[in-house]
Amino acid sequence: MKNVHEIEITIDGKEWETSLDKAFKKKNKEVKIDGFRKGTASKEVYLKKFGIESLYMDAIDMTMDQAYQKCLKENKLVPVIEPKVDVKTIDEQKVIFQFTIITKPEVKLGEYKNLNIPKEKAQVNKEEIATEIENLRNKFAEITVKNDGEAIAIKDTAIINFKGYVDGKELEGGSGENFPLEIGSNTFIPGFETGLVGLKKGDKKTLDLKFPEGYANDLGNKDVKFDVEVMEIKTRVLPEVNKDFFEDLGYDKVTNQEELEQEVEKVLKEQKEKEIDDLYLEKCLEKAADNMTIELNEEIISDEVHRMIHQFESQLQMQGITLEQYSQFTGLDHEKLHEQMAPEATKRVKYRYLLEEVAEQEKIDFTEKEVEEKSQEMAENYGISKEELLEAYGSLEVVKYDMKMREAMEIIRASK
């Protein structure tokens, strides 16, 4: 592919000699040579005992970044992902690196303005209004602990201790203490949650289940036993639809069910308009991306997938779940998660290059003053200082890039 550059860089002479000398000083402080304190042996004594080859790895580490920067500068390259590095040759006189550098792929825009995509109108029916009111009641429901003797029902949250066993051995990552499990959430494998329905506080039960086909870590179709103890049961008590409920919702002027339905309809319509607008933008981006010509490297897609997995792992950690536990519960190991995220990663990368090219084609740019003002506006919207915003974004240049991408989006969205 045209954007893949394989370049050899040689570090020799004084540069390589200096790196080897630095590597010697580092290693000499770490090794013990009979008759010498650490760090006091001469280079000649050191080399006689360990050989010049023992310095190569540290010297490479000290030289690689220098070689990489030299490669970029001499060839005027801007990489889009981390390079692949191989050491082609190494001896006492020189080291030869081979860098495989991937730059931005060539993008040829197709039509991105006259896309002829129809846009729906937002409509709300009575069933949706009734469902939303029920959702609001659930949102303001009071969480209460069930009395001793009351059984677990669907939608209850059972606080449980559990331990899993496969082939008589404890299942790694398959246990937990005081774990809150909403019954009916399908968080665990089939049969686990329904197997708890009817149990009471203090009850113990062994669930004989089977992992689904294709489950992670070669557990697919394997029998598994879970020893479960119910520590506590929580349930939700829905509020009455009355004045107190209206006030909790912030509808101080609402006095009856009919007026509540009108307010809910208004909110739902606004939400639907936002959803329709987002879907319309997605369709515009999709069509504009389909119209452009671009050849994407697998490495670029893979890099985006890894970024997505890292973000996903951070989200799980905020919920108190590790990626390993998630894999155990869902059957999605790292390889399957990578495969599952690849289509979305491909789409994200395509959209990014589409928007960058549209921004360049349309000559979208912003002055330093405009970027400063936008940064201040964003900081105020987020309720933080401008300094905190820039720390999160990284720099004003990143804010400027974001502004250009959003402006490019608006140009595509405004297409007819």
Side-chain angles (χ1 to χ4, degrees), residues 16-246:
W16 184 233
E17 184 181 333
T18 300
S19 295
L20 288 172
D21 193 48
K22 287 180 180 178
F24 157 68
K25 290 174 181 177
K26 177 178 179 293
K27 296 292 285 188
N28 200 27
K29 292 176 182 178
E30 298 172 354
V31 300
K32 181 72 174 70
I33 300 177
D34 292 342
F36 297 90
R37 297 191 308 276
K38 284 185 177 181
T40 62
S42 68
K43 189 173 183 180
E44 182 181 2
V45 171
Y46 174 91
L47 292 179
K48 188 174 181 180
K49 182 172 179 61
F50 296 105
I52 188 72
E53 294 82 8
S54 66
L55 303 179
Y56 288 166
M57 289 308 297
D58 284 311
I60 285 171
D61 289 341
M62 294 171 183
T63 312
M64 189 180 298
D65 186 62
Q66 175 189 349
Y68 181 48
Q69 295 306 321
K70 183 180 179 181
C71 174
L72 297 182
K73 186 176 180 180
E74 288 181 355
N75 296 278
K76 298 179 181 179
L77 298 175
V78 179
V80 293
I81 61 174
E82 290 294 317
K84 178 184 174 185
V85 188
D86 290 315
V87 177
K88 299 291 288 184
T89 302
I90 186 167
D91 54 36
E92 195 170 351
Q93 281 73 45
K94 65 185 176 305
V95 59
I96 301 176
F97 295 100
Q98 179 174 286
F99 294 97
T100 303
I101 296 174
I102 297 178
T103 55
K104 181 178 176 179
E106 183 181 4
V107 179
K108 293 182 180 179
L109 287 176
E111 186 61 69
Y112 61 89
K113 288 184 177 179
N114 302 310
L115 300 176
N116 298 316
I117 296 175
K119 191 174 181 181
E120 298 177 30
K121 289 186 178 180
Q123 295 180 335
V124 180
N125 59 44
K126 291 182 178 180
E127 289 76 12
E128 290 171 319
I129 295 170
T131 299
E132 180 60 18
I133 290 174
E134 196 64 19
N135 290 338
L136 291 170
R137 291 181 70 203
N138 272 287
K139 182 179 177 181
F140 285 89
E142 182 183 355
I143 307 299
T144 63
V145 177
K146 278 191 169 182
N147 296 323
D148 293 352
E150 290 189 274
I152 295 174
I154 297 294
K155 293 190 178 180
D156 283 347
T157 295
I159 312 300
I160 59 171
N161 292 344
F162 65 94
K163 189 170 289 187
Y165 299 89
V166 173
D167 297 331
K169 297 179 181 179
E170 189 173 331
L171 176 63
E172 185 179 351
S175 63
E177 291 187 357
N178 293 315
F179 188 93
L181 177 62
E182 183 182 340
I183 307 303
S185 63
N186 297 318
T187 303
F188 282 17
I189 64 173
F192 192 105
E193 294 168 28
T194 53
L196 302 184
V197 173
L199 296 185
K200 301 170 185 175
K201 179 181 177 180
D203 283 353
K204 296 180 180 180
K205 184 176 182 179
T206 297
L207 301 172
D208 291 306
L209 305 173
K210 187 183 288 288
F211 282 108
E213 185 177 351
Y215 203 81
N217 302 324
D218 298 322
L219 292 172
N221 289 324
K222 276 202 170 187
D223 293 327
V224 57
K225 289 180 181 290
F226 284 100
D227 289 337
V228 184
E229 181 180 4
V230 180
M231 310 305 292
E232 193 172 60
I233 307 168
K234 296 181 179 181
T235 192
R236 304 168 69 84
V237 179
L238 302 184
E240 297 294 326
V241 180
N242 54 26
K243 184 180 178 182
D244 291 337
F245 180 53
F246 303 150

Side-chain angles (χ1 to χ4, degrees), residues 245-264:
F245 180 53
F246 303 150
E247 289 177 354
D248 286 340
L249 294 173
Y251 297 145
D252 297 337
K253 296 181 180 180
V254 171
T255 59
N256 55 49
Q257 174 90 16
E258 184 180 352
E259 291 176 357
L260 173 64
E261 289 174 356
Q262 291 172 356
E263 290 295 330
V264 169

